[in-house]
Structure formats: C-alpha cells, structure tokens
Amino acid sequence: MGCRRRRRARSPGPGRSRSRRGAVRALRVGGWCRGRSRPLGEASRLLRQRRRTTVQADTLLWRTGGAGLLVAAALMLAVVPLGRWTVADLAVGVVWFNAMDVMVWALVWLVGWGANSAHALVGGYRFLAHGLGYELPLMFALVAPAIAAGSLNVGAVAAAQDGLWFAAWMPVAFLVYLLGVAGFSVWGPFAPALGTDVAGGVRAELSGVDRLVLETGRYALLAAGAAFAVPMFLGGGAGPLLPDWAWTLVKTLAVLALLVWARRRLPALRPDLFMEIGWLVLLPAALVQDLLVAVVTVWRS
Amino acid sequence: MEVLTVLVDIAFVALGVLAVLSGAAVFVVDSMARATYALAVSFVAVGAQVLFLQQSYVGVVIILMMVMEMAVMAVYMVMFMGMNPALMPMSMVHSNRTAVATAVLTFLLLAAGILVVDWPARRGSPPPDVTEALGEALMGPQMLVMAVISPVMVATIVAGVVLAAPRTRYDRFGDDLRQRPPDDPQPGGVGR
C-alpha cells in the first residue's frame, strides 16, 4: 500500500512526458515492491475479513481440517534433524512422516466436507482422487533411502549418505518424492482441488482467518516436505565450511525454491487422468528403483 | 523418574478413555462424516497406545493405515450408501436391544476373563530394537510361507477384480481385441 502511494506521488503530472525507460523502471520497481508486500497485505486482509458462514456447516470438522494441516506439517518437521538437534528422534521417523502425510488426506477432505457446499466437496473428492494416485508411489519412493541406509531413523538415513547423495543414485525415487510433496501440499500440478473452475474447490467457502490458516498450512506442508527431502535424499547437513544446521537450511530453501519455481510451469494434473499415471507409470518406476537399490545394498554388504 | 512413570501411565489411560469414548461417539453422532472420523480418532488413540508399548513401528503403521482407510471409507459411504445418510441426519445404530445386550455380555465375559485368568509373570526383557525383532519373528522362519502366500494373495485380488469388473477387455478392444484406441468410458492418463 505504502509503495503504491509513493509511486503515485512520484508519477509525473499530466503535462509532463516521461521517457519510456523511466516508465518501465517505475513499473518494475513498483511490481517488485508490490510483490514483496503482497503476503503481508494478503494476511492482514484475511485477518480483517469477516468469517463467511454457510447453512448447516459442520463447523467442528471444517475447523479441524483447516487447522490440522499446520499441525501435520509441524509433526512432520519434528523428525527432521537440524544439525545435532532433532525434536523427536524416532526410531521409525520415515514411517512417522508417511503417517503425517496420510493425515493430510483426511484433513483436506474434511475442509471440503465441512462447509456443506457442493464446490468445496468436489474439491475434497478431487484431492482424494489425487491422493490415491500419488500416495503409493510416494510410499515406495520413501522406501528406497530406508533400504539403502538399513534404518527407518531419519538421522541414520542422512548419515548413510557419506560421499554420495541418495538423490544422485536414486533419481526416480527423488522425483517421485518431490511429486508427492507437491501432492500433499495441494501445490502446482495438484492444485485442481483448489481450482477456479469449481469456485476455489476445497476453500470455496473459507474466508478470513480460516482461509489464512489453511493457506499457511499448505505452505508449511510444502516447506516440511522440502525439509524432509534433505536428510532423505540430499545428504542431510553434510557440506563444507558451514555448520550442519546451516547446510540443512540452505538445502531446504533450495528444494523449496525449486518447488515454488515449478508451481505454474507444470500442467495441472486432472485427478481422473493422473490416477492411471500414478498406478501405471510412477508406481512401477518407484518399485524398479526400490529393486535396484535393494540389489545394490545387498551387493555392497 | 517416578513422576515420569506416573505421567506416562496417566497418558496411557487417557488415550484408552479417548479410544473408548470416540468409539462410542460413532453410534451417538448423526452424520456419516462425524461417525467415520470418530472411528478414526479411536484408532489413532489405540495406535498411540501401541507407541507407549514401545512398538513404535506397529503403532505408527496403525495410525497411518487407519487414517487412510477412514478417509477412503468416508468417501465410499457418502457416495454409495442407500438413503443417502450423508446428506441427512443418520444413525449407525440398528437392532438396538440385541446389540446392547451382546455388547454388555461380551464386555462382562472379557472383563471377567482378565480378572480371573492367572497371568504369568514376565520372562526375559524386550530386545533393544523391537521393530527388527518383530520383522525377524514374522519373516525369519516363515519366509517360505510368506513367499508362497504373497503371490496367491495377489492372484486372488486380481481374480476378484476381474470377476467383479462389469466391462471386459472385449468391451474395450472389440471382439477380435484389435480395436485401437480402446473404448473406455473413462479415458486414462497414459493413452492406452
């Protein structure tokens, strides 16, 4: 807002001409400035917005679904080691992460259901149809690093990548994993559940702070998925000069940047068509990857 | 340490109470979605209890499978159940009196069993890695059985789906199986 006002004050009056380059620069500066302040502006707009109510909404389930995404993301992050520290160093951290990403199935569908609105429910069904397509490939993609490390502990998987990152010799698993992260964050190609063709889908009736919480949850899930990729595929905190925790953060940000960059560059995956891609292409690919990893692991030991 | 043990005991009992109450809620609430997710909460509480028993792998897998199952079940119940219980108040209760009598009798029988049976004292101690021990116990000596049963199970699933499918490959590919592209009411994503 402040930016726009300043630009307006600076803009030349009706009688004065302005060079083309100056106009372009003003546009670019203004655009960058507006882009930077957009998250804050959007957040404050949603915080002030009045809550929309619908007839016969199941408010308990609706709110549970919306707020639950953030909780699931936090519980995912709990098993990711940051340097020497891990919030919960579970022996079965990989399965824990998987359980939390399955929790997202229930939560997104509940958001779609709770509003008692057709468009929102269609969005919820779309998400579950996507889920049926991406979940099994994602599970088998997570199996590959666990087999190679011989452990379900996230720290042990990170430590097992001495010298060669798992992303380097299990690229299929890594790609399927990234697709899965986009899937459970309802992100990019998996956004039809929030599509404009169904009035915003799952979030059609969400407004105000509830919508802010849902969006925050989605972004948090994306970040949690990026953070979990680091110990699983990208060598954890290993790296020169910087300490472990800093490398973990740098790599997390790199993966996150990749996911954000890919957001609009991949076509939307229609739930009905993606089902077949998931089961006939991704699942066999992930299984073959697992077989290769298992053979290499047995051969090495 | 003493305090911690007491806290763990309290948490364990609280999870048990939560599991029973949310299990009962399935028959109290009047919405299909609420009933389904009350059941999911009950299962998650049981899974968390299993975590407390140091069986972390089994506990987490219970949570994972049950949440996934309930998510899918909610969809199918809402889509396919008669009288459309999803869109109007419904009840999961039927044969009320028989069910209550059976439940009370079963509870009394099992509770009496728990109290009457002379439980043996614990022998030995749990192994350091319970997940690995469980895997060994399941897959060690029984590996041959598993290797035989798995293909049979997969064949059963495939055969079941084939028998249940209303459309055969002749519907898709024509009488001489040569029709390309196949005639699918729902086009797939990989262009078969």
Side-chain angles (χ1 to χ4, degrees):
Chain A
M1 289 264 230
C3 295
R4 202 186 301 155
R5 218 169 285 140
R6 211 178 307 135
R7 208 174 66 216
R8 221 178 266 155
R10 260 191 218 154
S11 72
R16 290 154 69 188
S17 69
R18 182 202 236 174
S19 75
R20 194 176 159 75
R21 193 188 290 167
V24 168
R25 191 167 58 221
L27 205 77
R28 201 179 288 150
V29 168
W32 179 74
C33 189
R34 206 168 43 207
R36 192 181 48 172
S37 64
R38 222 177 107 186
L40 267 180
E42 185 69 7
S44 64
R45 182 182 75 81
L46 287 176
L47 280 172
R48 281 176 287 134
Q49 194 181 44
R50 237 179 107 170
R51 207 176 234 170
R52 184 186 302 160
T53 50
T54 50
V55 179
Q56 293 262 298
D58 195 333
T59 317
L60 174 70
L61 297 186
W62 202 10
R63 304 274 182 268
T64 308
L69 293 181
L70 203 52
V71 177
L75 289 175
M76 280 178 184
L77 283 174
V79 294
V80 176
L82 186 67
R84 286 178 292 124
W85 309 282
T86 314
V87 177
D89 195 17
L90 297 182
V92 292
V94 178
V95 191
W96 174 262
F97 176 87
N98 205 191
M100 291 309 114
D101 87 56
V102 165
M103 205 73 92
V104 176
W105 283 39
L107 298 170
V108 173
W109 187 80
L110 284 178
V111 180
W113 167 267
N116 193 27
S117 145
H119 290 310
L121 192 57
V122 170
Y125 281 130
R126 281 187 179 180
F127 179 76
L128 276 185
H130 267 150
L132 288 172
Y134 78 73
E135 189 64 49
L136 274 180
L138 172 62
M139 282 178 171
F140 283 104
L142 286 177
V143 163
I147 294 176
S151 171
L152 290 170
N153 177 273
V154 184
V157 174
Q161 301 170 60
D162 248 354
L164 191 58
W165 291 359
F166 283 162
W169 66 282
M170 20 183 118
V172 178
F174 185 49
L175 280 179
V176 170
Y177 171 79
L178 288 181
L179 209 62
V181 171
F184 67 65
S185 314
V186 207
W187 187 260
F190 292 94
L194 310 171
T196 43
D197 57 331
V198 279
V202 167
R203 58 185 176 193
E205 306 291 343
L206 272 180
S207 58
V209 70
D210 300 322
R211 194 182 181 114
L212 182 63
V213 168
L214 178 95
E215 293 297 345
T216 313
R218 275 181 67 218
Y219 297 146
L221 281 170
L222 197 73
F228 193 72
V230 175
M232 289 304 275
F233 292 100
L234 301 175
L241 296 174
L242 294 175
D244 278 10
W245 59 267
W247 269 116
T248 307
L249 287 182
V250 167
K251 291 175 187 174
T252 302
L253 286 176
V255 177
L256 194 56
L258 178 74
L259 287 167
V260 172
W261 175 83
R263 183 183 191 184
R264 303 252 187 242
R265 283 172 178 78
L266 296 173
L269 293 165
R270 270 176 55 180
D272 52 341
L273 301 187
F274 177 69
M275 186 87 78
E276 204 168 272
I277 299 175
W279 282 82
L280 293 184
V281 180
L282 295 181
L283 188 57
L287 282 171
V288 169
Q289 176 80 90
D290 286 350
L291 179 67
L292 284 175
V293 168
V295 168
V296 169
T297 308
V298 169
W299 178 63
R300 264 186 176 175
S301 62
Chain B
M1 213 57 223
E2 195 67 25
V3 180
L4 193 70
T5 321
V6 173
L7 281 181
V8 166
D9 284 351
I10 291 174
F12 188 81
V13 171
L15 282 170
V17 172
L18 177 67
V20 171
L21 287 184
S22 51
V26 172
F27 300 98
V28 176
V29 296
D30 64 349
S31 126
M32 183 57 77
R34 286 197 174 197
T36 309
Y37 280 98
L39 196 53
V41 169
S42 184
F43 280 131
V44 169
V46 172
Q49 276 191 315
V50 176
L51 285 180
F52 274 93
L53 300 174
Q54 311 289 314
Q55 285 279 6
S56 13
Y57 180 77
V58 179
V60 175
V61 164
I62 287 177
I63 296 175
L64 188 158
M65 297 310 286
M66 286 308 157
V67 172
M68 203 178 201
E69 231 163 73
M70 290 305 132
V72 174
M73 190 177 92
V75 171
Y76 281 96
M77 298 274 253
V78 170
M79 278 199 300
F80 294 134
M81 262 182 76
M83 71 166 183
N84 214 340
L87 304 178
M88 60 181 84
M90 48 67 69
S91 163
M92 290 286 276
V93 177
H94 53 83
S95 311
N96 210 350
R97 280 190 192 166
T98 328
V100 168
T102 318
V104 169
L105 277 178
T106 316
F107 177 79
L108 288 179
L109 191 73
L110 292 177
I114 291 171
L115 295 175
V116 170
V117 166
D118 188 17
W119 294 101
R122 181 173 199 164
R123 280 166 298 174
S125 54
D129 189 344
V130 196
T131 308
E132 193 180 341
L134 181 71
E136 285 288 337
L138 282 176
M139 303 298 267
Q142 280 89 3
M143 198 59 209
L144 183 65
V145 181
M146 286 291 200
V148 173
I149 286 179
S150 312
V152 174
M153 276 166 58
V154 172
T156 313
I157 295 171
V158 172
V161 172
V162 166
L163 290 177
R167 283 168 57 82
T168 67
R169 61 186 186 282
Y170 294 104
D171 294 306
R172 296 186 65 224
F173 296 120
D175 289 342
D176 54 358
L177 298 178
R178 281 188 194 152
Q179 176 180 303
R180 291 290 183 282
D183 170 29
D184 280 327
Q186 171 65 66
V190 294
R192 287 175 306 142

